[in-house]
């Protein structure tokens, strides 16, 4: 029995310029990995550079070729070992994550099971929060996006980006936060994400100046590499401090857990479904909940399996891309997304003809 791994990359332009406190972009690349065996094909993907494609083809595909497709832990371990000298954090970690998700999906499809059933469910619908509010948006675009989530779709929690121009636009940040609160009203929860743009005490001062806005979630107020800084901010502000989206291995989450209120995990970076489940257990051992970062449809089955899940990020950019490239996507009306329980695997199918127009590798 042979497992065949292949990878392709698709670059999709944004529908408007997007940016946060430390980065700006006008397109997003999805790298799709397919795992095939005995007439079945599983899908997994990540968001990253086209360099992920040759890592899958040259490093990962050869070492899983002779593994039983049901032995996901063995395949994952073989891939992790193969990446030792290549360096697992970064591009190689993205490749490992997408491949692991594809192999899990393959196993579910071979046995005619929804992936969520194979993993086991703690819930059948997953709480989400609307995420966007880019620093590049003008006031009208931010208002329309937030109003669409809260008032049209009934999503009761939304997030905007702050920390514009590396943290040098605090008055604008505060103005945009106040505008967001006016848009969503008092009942919805307001989240903010500085993407590590602030310095430690600056981050504290910003949130104290925003005290009347009832911000509930303060993501990466300082760099996620500054663990003591995260802990300092956490201990001096009211919103929950969150970080973890750049975690590529289990030790990362173990180190970060003492410094945050909620650990973020990204299944497309951390090592796939296999490592997401372990990272969630690390968080549970520290008394923390976890939040799934971006790539919502890649997260839904594993998020449903995690008892200590808080929510999944319903990220504008990725929701749009996944809706363009896949059949079987779901909505998030009322602030929850249903988990596929009536089709094999993750329930998605690549819209191959449409996707081909965006293929870059």
């Amino acid at each position: 029995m042979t497992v065949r791994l292949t990878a392709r990359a698709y670059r999709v332009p944004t529908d408007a310029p997007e940016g946060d406190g430390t980065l700006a972009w006008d397109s997003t690349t999805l790298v799709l990995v397919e795992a095939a065996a005995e007439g079945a094909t599983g899908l997994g993907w990540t968001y990253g550079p086209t360099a992920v494609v040759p890592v899958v083809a040259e490093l990962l595909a050869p070492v899983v070729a002779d593994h039983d497709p049901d032995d996901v832990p063995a395949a994952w371990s073989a891939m992790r070992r193969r990446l030792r000298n290549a360096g697992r954090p970064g591009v190689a970690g993205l490749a490992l994550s997408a491949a692991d998700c594809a192999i899990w999906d393959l196993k579910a499809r071979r046995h005619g099971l929804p992936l969520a059933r194979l993993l086991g469910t703690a819930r059948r619908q997953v709480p989400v929060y609307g995420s966007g509010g880019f620093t590049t948006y003008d006031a009208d675009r931010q208002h329309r996006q937030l109003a669409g989530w809260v008032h049209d779709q009934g999503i009761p929690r939304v997030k905007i980006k702050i920390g514009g121009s590396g943290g040098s636009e605090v008055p604008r940040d505060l103005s945009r936060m106040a505008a967001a609160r006016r848009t969503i009203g008092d009942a919805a929860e307001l989240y903010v994400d500085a993407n590590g743009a602030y310095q430690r005490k600056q981050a504290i001062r910003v949130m104290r100046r925003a005290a009347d806005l009832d911000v509930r979630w303060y993501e990466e107020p300082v760099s996620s590499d500054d663990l003591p800084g995260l802990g300092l901010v956490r201990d001096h502000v009211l919103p929950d401090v969150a970080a973890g989206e750049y975690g590529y291995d289990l030790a990362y989450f173990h180190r970060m857990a003492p410094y945050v209120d909620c650990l973020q995990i990204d299944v497309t970076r951390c090592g796939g479904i296999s490592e997401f489940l372990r990272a969630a257990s690390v968080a549970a051992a520290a008394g923390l909940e976890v939040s799934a970062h971006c790539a919502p449809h890649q997260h839904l089955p594993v998020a449903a399996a995690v008892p200590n899940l808080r929510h999944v990020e319903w990220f504008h950019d990725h929701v749009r891309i996944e809706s363009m490239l896949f059949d079987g996507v779901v909505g998030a009306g009322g602030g929850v997304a249903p988990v596929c329980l009536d089709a094999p695997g993750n329930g998605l199918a690549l819209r191959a003809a449409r996707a081909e127009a965006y293929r870059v590798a």
Side-chain angles (χ1 to χ4, degrees):
M1 188 181 306
T2 298
V3 178
R4 300 179 304 281
L5 284 186
T6 57
R8 299 188 297 277
Y10 305 94
R11 182 171 297 134
V12 180
T14 59
D15 58 356
E18 296 179 355
D20 55 38
T22 55
L23 188 67
W25 59 96
D26 58 12
S27 66
T28 299
T29 302
L30 180 148
V31 180
L32 180 73
V33 174
E34 292 183 331
E38 296 186 315
T41 301
L43 303 177
W45 67 91
T46 188
Y47 291 95
T50 58
V52 173
V53 173
V55 174
V56 173
E58 297 170 18
L59 299 181
L60 302 186
V63 300
V64 302
D66 295 327
H67 280 278
D68 187 311
D70 284 351
D71 292 341
V72 184
W76 186 91
S77 297
M79 292 189 290
R80 179 188 58 81
R81 285 193 300 270
R82 185 65 181 87
L83 295 175
R84 189 195 73 175
N85 289 347
R88 178 172 164 188
V91 169
L94 301 178
L96 171 64
S97 300
D100 180 76
C101 290
I103 295 170
W104 273 108
D105 192 47
L106 170 63
K107 180 174 181 177
R109 292 176 191 254
R110 288 184 67 247
H111 291 278
L113 289 171
L115 179 54
R117 289 288 194 195
L118 179 64
L119 298 172
T121 57
R123 61 188 60 76
R124 296 189 176 187
Q125 54 185 13
V126 175
V128 306
Y129 68 89
S131 173
F134 302 106
T135 58
T136 46
Y137 280 3
D138 61 21
D140 181 65
R141 194 174 192 96
Q142 175 179 295
H143 169 77
R144 286 187 284 110
Q145 185 180 69
L146 298 182
W149 284 325
V150 174
H151 303 304
D152 297 340
Q153 297 183 47
I155 298 175
R157 54 196 83 85
V158 293
K159 186 176 80 180
I160 67 168
K161 302 286 192 179
I162 59 173
S165 298
S168 65
E169 299 179 351
V170 170
R172 181 172 184 262
D173 293 338
L174 292 167
S175 175
R176 293 179 59 248
M177 292 162 67
R181 174 53 74 193
R182 289 193 298 271
T183 295
I184 68 177
D186 294 334
E189 295 183 7
L190 177 60
Y191 295 0
V192 297
D193 181 0
N195 286 98
Y198 295 141
Q199 300 301 304
R200 295 180 182 183
K201 291 188 177 180
Q202 180 190 25
I204 296 169
R205 290 193 297 269
V206 167
M207 200 46 59
R208 286 181 176 172
R209 291 177 64 183
D212 61 339
L213 300 178
D214 189 25
V215 176
R216 300 294 183 86
W217 172 276
Y218 201 8
E219 186 174 329
E220 286 194 316
V222 298
S223 170
S224 56
D225 294 328
D226 181 11
L227 297 181
L230 286 171
L232 176 72
V233 177
R234 179 201 59 191
D235 292 342
H236 287 84
V237 300
L238 287 178
D240 281 354
V241 168
E245 66 188 68
Y246 299 110
Y248 285 97
D249 56 50
L250 206 58
Y252 179 100
F253 300 102
H254 177 69
R255 291 192 300 269
M256 181 172 281
Y259 298 98
V260 297
D261 295 302
C262 185
L263 266 179
Q264 294 176 279
I265 314 173
D266 189 328
V267 76
T268 75
R269 293 176 178 168
C270 73
I273 290 170
S274 296
E275 197 83 324
F276 189 103
L277 294 171
R278 299 182 190 115
S281 295
V282 167
L288 299 179
E289 292 180 317
V290 300
S291 177
H293 171 261
C294 291
H297 290 90
Q298 184 74 99
H299 274 109
L300 288 178
V302 69
V306 173
N308 58 320
L309 178 86
R310 184 177 298 194
H311 41 43
V312 171
E313 182 171 9
W314 203 250
F315 183 52
H316 168 74
D317 196 21
H318 294 176
V319 169
R320 175 174 166 267
I321 290 170
E322 290 164 10
S323 298
M324 291 170 63
L325 300 187
F326 297 106
D327 287 322
V329 298
V330 299
V336 293
V339 178
C340 176
L341 296 172
D342 57 4
N346 56 32
L348 300 176
L350 180 68
R351 303 172 77 176
R354 183 169 191 184
E356 193 61 28
Y358 300 102
R359 186 171 175 181
V360 290

Short mmCIF file of all heavy atoms in Angstrom, two decimals, residues 23 25 34 60 63 102 125 128 168 219 234 274 277 292 305 331:
data_model
loop_
_atom_site.label_atom_id
_atom_site.label_comp_id
_atom_site.label_asym_id
_atom_site.label_seq_id
_atom_site.Cartn_x
_atom_site.Cartn_y
_atom_site.Cartn_z
N LEU A 23 2.70 44.28 9.30
CA LEU A 23 2.79 43.69 7.97
C LEU A 23 1.61 44.16 7.12
O LEU A 23 0.53 44.44 7.64
CB LEU A 23 2.78 42.16 8.06
CG LEU A 23 3.06 41.35 6.79
CD1 LEU A 23 4.52 41.54 6.35
CD2 LEU A 23 2.78 39.86 7.04
N TRP A 25 -0.24 43.28 3.02
CA TRP A 25 -0.23 42.33 1.91
C TRP A 25 -1.40 42.60 0.98
O TRP A 25 -2.40 43.20 1.37
CB TRP A 25 -0.28 40.88 2.43
CG TRP A 25 -1.49 40.57 3.26
CD1 TRP A 25 -2.65 39.99 2.84
CD2 TRP A 25 -1.66 40.83 4.67
NE1 TRP A 25 -3.54 39.86 3.88
CE2 TRP A 25 -2.96 40.36 5.01
CE3 TRP A 25 -0.86 41.39 5.66
CZ2 TRP A 25 -3.46 40.46 6.32
CZ3 TRP A 25 -1.35 41.49 6.96
CH2 TRP A 25 -2.64 41.02 7.28
N GLU A 34 -2.39 17.00 -1.09
CA GLU A 34 -3.28 15.87 -1.26
C GLU A 34 -2.54 14.59 -0.87
O GLU A 34 -1.39 14.39 -1.27
CB GLU A 34 -3.78 15.78 -2.70
CG GLU A 34 -4.70 16.92 -3.08
CD GLU A 34 -5.26 16.79 -4.48
OE1 GLU A 34 -4.58 16.18 -5.34
OE2 GLU A 34 -6.38 17.29 -4.72
N LEU A 60 8.96 15.19 2.39
CA LEU A 60 7.92 14.46 3.10
C LEU A 60 7.34 13.30 2.30
O LEU A 60 7.12 12.21 2.85
CB LEU A 60 6.80 15.42 3.49
CG LEU A 60 7.21 16.61 4.36
CD1 LEU A 60 5.97 17.40 4.78
CD2 LEU A 60 8.00 16.16 5.58
N VAL A 63 9.11 9.79 2.58
CA VAL A 63 9.15 9.06 3.86
C VAL A 63 7.79 8.52 4.27
O VAL A 63 7.72 7.66 5.16
CB VAL A 63 9.74 9.92 4.99
CG1 VAL A 63 11.16 10.33 4.67
CG2 VAL A 63 8.88 11.14 5.28
N ALA A 102 -3.86 16.35 5.67
CA ALA A 102 -4.27 15.57 4.51
C ALA A 102 -4.32 14.08 4.81
O ALA A 102 -5.23 13.37 4.36
CB ALA A 102 -3.33 15.84 3.34
N GLN A 125 -21.07 21.95 16.85
CA GLN A 125 -20.92 23.25 16.20
C GLN A 125 -19.90 24.05 17.01
O GLN A 125 -19.79 23.89 18.22
CB GLN A 125 -22.25 23.98 16.08
CG GLN A 125 -23.01 24.14 17.37
CD GLN A 125 -24.38 24.77 17.12
OE1 GLN A 125 -24.84 24.87 15.98
NE2 GLN A 125 -25.03 25.23 18.18
N VAL A 128 -17.36 30.87 16.87
CA VAL A 128 -16.42 31.62 16.04
C VAL A 128 -16.46 33.09 16.43
O VAL A 128 -17.41 33.57 17.05
CB VAL A 128 -16.72 31.47 14.53
CG1 VAL A 128 -16.80 30.00 14.14
CG2 VAL A 128 -18.00 32.21 14.16
N SER A 168 2.95 53.15 16.14
CA SER A 168 3.19 54.60 16.19
C SER A 168 1.93 55.42 15.94
O SER A 168 2.01 56.65 15.83
CB SER A 168 4.26 54.98 15.17
OG SER A 168 3.81 54.73 13.84
N GLU A 219 -4.87 40.58 21.74
CA GLU A 219 -4.01 39.58 21.11
C GLU A 219 -2.64 40.17 20.78
O GLU A 219 -2.56 41.26 20.20
CB GLU A 219 -4.68 39.08 19.84
CG GLU A 219 -3.95 37.93 19.15
CD GLU A 219 -4.76 37.39 17.98
OE1 GLU A 219 -6.01 37.44 18.04
OE2 GLU A 219 -4.13 36.94 17.01
N ARG A 234 -0.54 41.03 30.61
CA ARG A 234 -1.67 40.25 31.13
C ARG A 234 -2.02 40.64 32.55
O ARG A 234 -3.20 40.74 32.92
CB ARG A 234 -1.32 38.76 31.07
CG ARG A 234 -2.41 37.84 31.61
CD ARG A 234 -1.86 36.50 32.01
NE ARG A 234 -0.82 36.64 33.03
CZ ARG A 234 -0.01 35.65 33.40
NH1 ARG A 234 -0.11 34.46 32.83
NH2 ARG A 234 0.89 35.86 34.33
N SER A 274 -2.44 16.26 14.42
CA SER A 274 -1.76 15.46 15.43
C SER A 274 -1.20 16.33 16.55
O SER A 274 -1.38 16.05 17.74
CB SER A 274 -0.63 14.65 14.80
OG SER A 274 -1.12 13.72 13.86
N LEU A 277 -3.89 18.58 18.76
CA LEU A 277 -4.50 17.87 19.89
C LEU A 277 -3.55 17.83 21.09
O LEU A 277 -3.98 18.00 22.24
CB LEU A 277 -4.90 16.46 19.47
CG LEU A 277 -6.01 16.36 18.42
CD1 LEU A 277 -6.16 14.93 17.93
CD2 LEU A 277 -7.34 16.87 19.00
N ALA A 292 -8.51 28.60 18.00
CA ALA A 292 -7.92 28.19 16.73
C ALA A 292 -7.70 29.42 15.85
O ALA A 292 -8.62 30.21 15.63
CB ALA A 292 -8.83 27.19 16.02
N ALA A 305 -13.21 18.53 18.36
CA ALA A 305 -12.72 17.43 19.20
C ALA A 305 -12.10 17.89 20.51
O ALA A 305 -11.80 17.07 21.37
CB ALA A 305 -11.68 16.61 18.42
N GLY A 331 -21.38 28.36 6.69
CA GLY A 331 -21.50 29.70 7.23
C GLY A 331 -21.37 29.69 8.73
O GLY A 331 -21.22 28.65 9.36
#
